[in-house]
């Protein structure tokens, strides 16, 4: 059994904790929280041992009637791997703590690539994380792009990828984010950070990315153009994508016209929190013009990195190869819409 601790129990951390608890080869050592808010109560309700992320704040939990299992250093000490899901920048400050206890750590996409030994995507470079001490699971958008580009590069060769990312302004719980009534080129300058981030997984891939932000919370949407080195038909590309376990091809008959219906679909399918771990590609958007591939895909920012964190845990502990890990993760979570 791999013992896993989660430091930072917010949007990503709580989902990774639930996923760890579902794995046949992992046990959840506990989760660390800074304050006794609604998410701390949820952790207690789920029966997860709760640790104080900041020692001075332990009395706050006591006052709220929440029993603590200890402080974060105890969690780190008893874990084989820690998943750090703290806000961007905070995780970097935790690195020395993980080093002190000699505990391998996974960080999230908000951290700089140079904080870690390797940036990770299960489909893209699983084996690169073997035995690493500090691994960054790339962001939701980079995860979505890596899953899409890996089979294209392997099967057809990629001459150049050009992607426009229409990004949600914030997550549903992020009441202070925006815009609330605007459409922002973001960043205005090129490239957006996503292209260089994809290059942390595929160093030689030619990719240009542009970013926008819109008043939405549900999902990101990517407008994709990839110039291929060969000329498959659109149907061949669709069939190739259909073989990928974390790409969901939205059939036309479902009449799903956007992120709202996709989320409804996920809720109706009984997905926890309406999560969609897979990239969602509109099947009929997949088109070839010469050797240019075009398509639209939507990415559920709150959950697509969850299976990737689970695979990264097995990769750093060298407990399974990519195929085995992806298959165990998919089966235990119920991936495949
Ligand atoms: P979040 O704000 O929802 O959760 C972070 C949690 O960490 C909060 O509960 C916060 O109270 C807690 N925290 C703050 N300081 C802490 C500390 N010192 N010790 C322990 N816990 C602390 O953030 P999130 O959206 O889950 O993002 C976490 C990371 O995941 C970031 O790097 C982010 O870029 C990345 N990420 C986020 C998304 C997304 O869409 N939300 C998608 C992919 C990757």
């Amino acid at each position: 059994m791999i013992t896993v601790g989660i430091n930072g129990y917010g949007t990503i951390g709580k989902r990774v904790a639930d996923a760890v608890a579902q794995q046949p080869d992992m046990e959840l050592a506990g989760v660390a929280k800074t304050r006794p808010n609604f998410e701390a109560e949820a952790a207690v309700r789920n029966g997860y041992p709760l640790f104080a992320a900041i020692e001075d704040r332990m009395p706050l939990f006591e006052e709220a009637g929440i029993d603590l299992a200890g402080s974060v250093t105890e969690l780190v000490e008893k874990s084989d791997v820690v998943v750090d899901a703290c806000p961007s920048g905070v995780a970097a400050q935790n690195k020395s703590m993980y080093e002190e206890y000699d505990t391998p750590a996974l960080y999230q996409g908000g951290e700089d690539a140079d904080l870690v030994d390797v940036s990770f995507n299960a489909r893209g470079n699983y084996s690169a994380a073997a035995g690493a001490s500090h691994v960054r699971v790339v962001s939701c958008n980079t995860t979505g792009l890596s899953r899409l580009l890996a089979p294209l590069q392997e099967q057809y060769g990629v001459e150049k990828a050009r992607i426009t990312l229409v990004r949600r302004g914030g997550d549903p719980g992020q009441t202070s984010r925006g815009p609330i009534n605007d459409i922002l080129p973001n960043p205005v300058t090129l490239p957006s950070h996503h292209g260089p981030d994809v290059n942390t997984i595929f160093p030689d891939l030619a990719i240009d990315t542009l970013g926008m932000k819109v008043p939405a919370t549900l999902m990101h949407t990517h407008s994709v153009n990839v110039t291929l080195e060969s000329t498959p038909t659109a149907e061949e590309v669709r069939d190739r994508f259909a073989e990928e376990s974390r790409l969901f091809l939205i059939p036309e008959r479902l009449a799903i016209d956007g992120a709202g219906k996709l989320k409804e679909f996920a809720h109706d399918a009984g997905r926890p929190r309406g999560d969609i771990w897979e990239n969602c590609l509109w099947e009929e958007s997949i088109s070839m013009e010469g050797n240019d591939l075009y398509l639209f895909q939507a990415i559920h920012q709150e959950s697509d990195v969850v299976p990737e964190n689970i695979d990264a845990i097995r990769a750093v502990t060298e407990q399974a190869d990519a195929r085995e890990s992806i298959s165990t993760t998919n089966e235990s979570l119920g991936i495949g819409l």
Side-chain angles (χ1 to χ4, degrees):
M1 282 298 222
I2 312 170
T3 304
V4 182
I6 311 284
N7 188 18
Y9 190 72
T11 305
I12 301 299
K14 64 186 171 188
R15 289 171 164 83
V16 175
D18 291 352
V20 166
Q22 284 173 263
Q23 301 308 306
D25 54 348
M26 296 183 194
E27 67 181 356
L28 186 67
V31 305
K33 283 280 317 157
T34 51
R35 56 201 164 113
N37 71 352
F38 73 99
E39 283 161 331
E41 299 232 349
V44 172
R45 236 185 351 260
N46 288 336
Y48 300 159
L50 189 64
F51 293 79
I54 299 170
E55 220 163 318
D56 295 353
R57 296 206 193 152
M58 286 175 113
L60 294 179
F61 289 86
E62 226 171 274
E63 282 162 29
I66 293 178
D67 282 339
L68 287 173
S71 73
V72 65
T73 50
E74 291 166 81
L75 176 63
V76 173
E77 193 168 16
K78 63 164 63 176
S79 300
D80 297 324
V81 179
V82 170
V83 178
D84 189 309
C86 291
S88 304
V90 175
Q93 296 162 24
N94 293 331
K95 186 176 179 181
S96 55
M97 172 170 63
Y98 306 135
E99 282 173 335
E100 195 181 326
Y101 290 92
D102 209 12
T103 306
L106 307 185
Y107 306 86
Q108 306 305 311
E111 301 307 314
D112 285 343
D114 55 16
L115 179 75
V116 295
D117 310 320
V118 58
S119 293
F120 179 87
N121 170 256
R123 181 63 180 80
N125 67 344
Y126 182 97
S127 53
S133 301
H134 303 280
V135 172
R136 183 180 71 113
V137 175
V138 291
S139 74
C140 45
N141 279 311
T142 306
T143 294
L145 291 175
S146 299
R147 288 176 181 168
L148 185 80
L149 291 166
L152 291 177
Q153 194 182 32
E154 286 162 14
Q155 187 86 35
Y156 309 113
V158 169
E159 194 178 304
K160 175 107 181 181
R162 300 173 187 83
I163 323 281
T164 300
L165 301 99
V166 182
R167 302 153 67 197
R168 58 86 178 102
D171 294 338
Q174 290 178 314
T175 43
S176 59
R177 297 268 294 248
I180 57 171
N181 182 25
D182 214 334
I183 300 162
L184 310 177
N186 183 272
V188 176
T189 50
L190 269 68
S192 70
H193 70 272
H194 308 93
D197 207 31
V198 167
N199 288 136
T200 66
I201 305 293
F202 304 106
D204 301 324
L205 193 117
I207 178 167
D208 286 341
T209 53
L210 295 86
M212 299 180 72
K213 262 194 192 178
V214 296
T217 62
L218 299 175
M219 297 177 83
H220 302 296
T221 304
H222 298 168
S223 166
V224 175
N225 165 219
V226 184
T227 306
L228 300 172
E229 285 171 356
S230 54
T231 317
T233 64
E235 199 178 4
E236 284 167 338
V237 177
R238 269 198 298 275
D239 291 347
R240 181 65 193 80
F241 284 151
E243 292 168 19
E244 295 288 319
S245 62
R246 293 183 184 168
L247 300 184
F248 167 53
L249 302 183
I250 309 166
E252 194 170 359
R253 68 183 159 76
L254 293 184
I256 290 176
D257 60 1
K261 289 200 182 77
L262 270 173
K263 291 284 289 167
E264 277 300 294
F265 178 60
H267 277 292
D268 290 348
R271 286 290 178 93
R273 303 184 177 92
D275 282 350
I276 311 175
W277 302 294
E278 306 87 346
N279 293 24
C280 300
L281 282 68
W282 275 272
E283 194 169 48
E284 73 268 32
S285 74
I286 300 170
S287 311
M288 290 296 302
E289 295 287 334
N291 60 343
D292 273 321
L293 167 69
Y294 294 92
L295 61 91
F296 289 115
Q297 69 170 357
I299 300 295
H300 185 221
Q301 75 281 357
E302 296 173 288
S303 69
D304 75 327
V305 298
V306 172
E308 308 297 326
N309 273 273
I310 298 298
D311 292 329
I313 292 167
R314 291 197 191 92
V316 297
T317 52
E318 299 179 80
Q319 293 298 307
D321 64 21
R323 209 174 46 81
E324 287 166 336
S325 178
I326 289 171
S327 144
T328 306
T329 306
N330 289 354
E331 200 174 313
S332 57
L333 295 181
I335 288 181
L337 277 162

